[in-house]
Amino acid sequence: MFNQINRPTYVLEESLLRRNLSLINKVAQEADVEIILAFKAYALWRTFPIFREYIHATTASSVNEARLAFEEFGAPAHTYSPAYTDSDIDEIARCSSHITFNSLSQYERYAVSLREKGWSGDFGLRINPEYSEVETLLYNPCAPGTRFGVSASLLEQRGLPSDITGFHCHCHCESGSDVFERTLQHIEAKFSKWFPQIKWINFGGGHLMTRADYDVPRLIHLLKDFKSRYPWLHVILEPGSAFAWQTGPLVAQVADIVEDNGIRTAILNVSFTCHMPDCLEMPYMPAVRGATPLNPPQGRSGDSQTAVDSTLSLGGGRGSYRLGGCSCLSGDWMGTWQFDHELQVGENIIFEDMLHYTTVKTNMFNGVSHPDIALLHTDGTLEVLRHFTYEDYRDRMD
């Protein structure tokens, strides 16, 4: 089927999505917890009817995500933002069942006024356990100097407001249940003294329970054990990646092949900076179907001559190519790859696992054409959910 695709397309495979949703629903049922979808990793609202067969709520971090939850998913959002604003807070409240504050000052600024306006939802507070095993600083929410959450020492000084009914804690990124077990010890050690004052706790995202090597029974045991110690607490998890993990590729095409200093580059009709930004931000090395990477992503962080020498030493043979994007950014390329054949213009290049943290982070820099978004149904039919046009690019700056 992929060979029939002749333009850039994100392809979501319904069967793989349902596989993930079934597993997530199983964890929720067996552990007696609530698992909700985080829009920051996945927000394809045309697929929400499928999601509603398995889950009942979502989490938002902005007024637009809160509206998406309320108006498109059909349920009020569990909303957290690093900082609410006067212009957004009323609309966020309209669309939310839970509002979690990042700081006590944000609570003091908005809680009373929201109650006076008649909002009757739950107030939460983000806590900082000052422990995270996320090694990449860009994604570590508990690094020293973090802007996220309230520490236990500050809460001891100021006290927990009486109308805060829940805690929110996020300190994982594509982590295993062993990491959650160690993190849970820090959360309890620092914050369990306030557990009798609250009725729910949200352990955030980053629980990659749909990854093949994830220890799901261990996660269920940890959650059930936690609930046995604090039976009055409603437990919430809000992964994003876990829902869309390994649910489909980005299909691109070779537009040209150029060569300089012995390095051949296959220029594609997609862009890493526009359509796969984590490849440059992390940098993250994606899997390419039918190809083997010849150099690690960290090789590009040195001086340019070192990068060229490294590439020349690792590639240059038959079937060896850099993959380059179609924007005018000089660094819009990723790695050197070994294919088992010589690439041809028009040939498909398939980037695996491209449904999470891609469609939500893409941009239209340089006016580069945006890939279609398509759903491959279980009966084998391919439905294009969205085709982007010139008007989409133009109207962003209207």
Side-chain angles (χ1 to χ4, degrees):
M1 186 279 301
F2 292 138
N3 291 333
Q4 301 172 18
I5 296 175
N6 57 12
R7 58 170 289 108
T9 307
Y10 295 103
V11 181
L12 173 66
E13 300 184 49
E14 182 182 349
S15 61
L16 300 180
L17 177 63
R18 287 186 180 275
R19 175 201 63 189
N20 287 353
L21 286 164
S22 295
L23 187 146
I24 289 169
N25 178 262
K26 174 185 175 182
V27 172
Q29 294 296 322
E30 293 191 12
D32 190 25
V33 300
E34 183 177 17
I35 304 180
I36 62 181
L37 169 67
F39 287 154
K40 73 175 185 176
Y42 179 97
L44 298 183
W45 60 272
R46 292 280 297 276
T47 64
F48 287 173
I50 298 173
F51 277 76
R52 285 195 294 266
E53 296 178 31
Y54 302 88
I55 65 171
H56 306 292
T58 58
T59 180
S61 296
S62 64
V63 64
N64 287 331
E65 286 188 345
R67 284 191 62 181
L68 193 70
F70 189 66
E71 298 176 11
E72 304 299 339
F73 190 84
H78 293 235
T79 303
Y80 157 82
S81 174
Y84 300 109
T85 62
D86 294 351
S87 59
D88 288 345
I89 190 64
D90 289 342
E91 183 70 350
I92 283 175
R94 181 184 75 86
C95 299
S96 303
S97 59
H98 297 65
I99 293 179
T100 294
F101 297 103
N102 184 60
S103 66
L104 291 170
S105 57
Q106 281 265 295
Y107 163 81
E108 292 164 356
R109 182 176 183 86
Y110 293 115
V112 172
S113 63
L114 286 174
R115 291 300 190 214
E116 289 175 347
K117 294 174 184 176
W119 190 75
S120 59
D122 281 13
F123 286 138
L125 186 69
R126 179 161 179 168
I127 56 175
N128 175 16
E130 302 175 86
Y131 177 86
S132 175
E133 297 186 21
V134 177
E135 295 180 354
T136 304
L137 190 61
L138 183 66
Y139 299 122
N140 186 344
C142 298
T146 181
R147 70 189 192 279
F148 297 129
V150 176
S151 66
S153 59
L154 181 61
L155 207 53
E156 287 172 348
Q157 295 173 25
R158 301 281 299 276
L160 180 67
S162 59
D163 57 347
I164 292 290
T165 59
F167 282 159
H168 177 280
C169 182
H170 175 70
C171 46
H172 297 90
C173 180
E174 298 187 355
S175 304
S177 53
D178 58 325
V179 178
F180 178 51
E181 183 171 14
R182 292 189 289 272
T183 305
L184 194 56
Q185 296 172 6
H186 289 263
I187 296 172
E188 289 190 69
K190 289 180 177 291
F191 292 97
S192 61
K193 67 181 71 176
W194 290 287
F195 286 179
Q197 297 174 241
I198 62 175
K199 65 181 185 180
W200 56 267
I201 186 165
N202 185 329
F203 288 121
H207 308 272
L208 195 49
M209 61 190 75
T210 51
R211 188 178 61 201
D213 63 347
Y214 190 96
D215 190 343
V216 173
R218 186 178 190 173
L219 173 64
I220 294 172
H221 169 75
L222 289 169
L223 292 169
K224 292 174 71 173
D225 193 50
F226 179 86
K227 287 178 64 68
S228 71
R229 295 193 296 278
Y230 312 102
W232 65 91
L233 288 182
H234 176 62
V235 175
I236 305 165
L237 281 74
E238 51 176 44
S241 294
F243 284 94
W245 185 258
Q246 297 286 351
T247 56
L250 169 60
V251 182
Q253 289 76 40
V254 177
D256 195 12
I257 297 173
V258 298
E259 184 171 344
D260 182 68
N261 281 291
I263 301 172
R264 289 189 299 173
T265 299
I267 302 178
L268 310 178
N269 56 2
V270 296
S271 162
F272 292 96
T273 190
C274 295
H275 308 136
M276 297 170 274
D278 280 349
C279 292
L280 304 186
E281 290 179 4
M282 277 284 288
Y284 156 76
M285 181 70 84
V288 177
R289 189 172 300 184
T292 302
L294 293 177
N295 59 338
Q298 62 263 27
R300 62 187 300 149
S301 62
D303 64 85
S304 59
Q305 187 57 50
T306 300
V308 168
D309 291 343
S310 173
T311 303
L312 286 170
S313 67
L314 290 168
R318 182 182 182 275
S320 175
Y321 301 87
R322 247 186 205 177
L323 295 181
C326 57
S327 81
C328 291
L329 175 69
S330 297
D332 190 2
W333 57 270
M334 175 53 60
T336 305
W337 300 82
Q338 183 68 51
F339 292 82
D340 62 4
H341 62 283
E342 296 285 335
L343 297 181
Q344 302 295 319
V345 170
E347 179 175 346
N348 278 351
I349 301 296
I350 299 177
F351 294 93
E352 307 285 10
D353 193 22
M354 278 291 161
L355 267 296
H356 57 93
Y357 285 107
T358 49
T359 51
V360 292
K361 296 179 73 172
T362 56
N363 61 74
M364 292 185 172
F365 165 68
N366 226 175
V368 172
S369 295
H370 197 289
D372 289 348
I373 301 174
L375 175 63
L376 178 60
H377 290 283
T378 54
D379 64 3
T381 59
L382 186 71
E383 177 187 3
V384 176
L385 302 180
R386 181 65 193 273
H387 173 69
F388 294 86
T389 65
Y390 161 71
E391 286 75 20
D392 293 306
Y393 168 70
R394 182 199 65 189
D395 292 349
R396 292 180 69 252
M397 292 164 280
D398 186 0

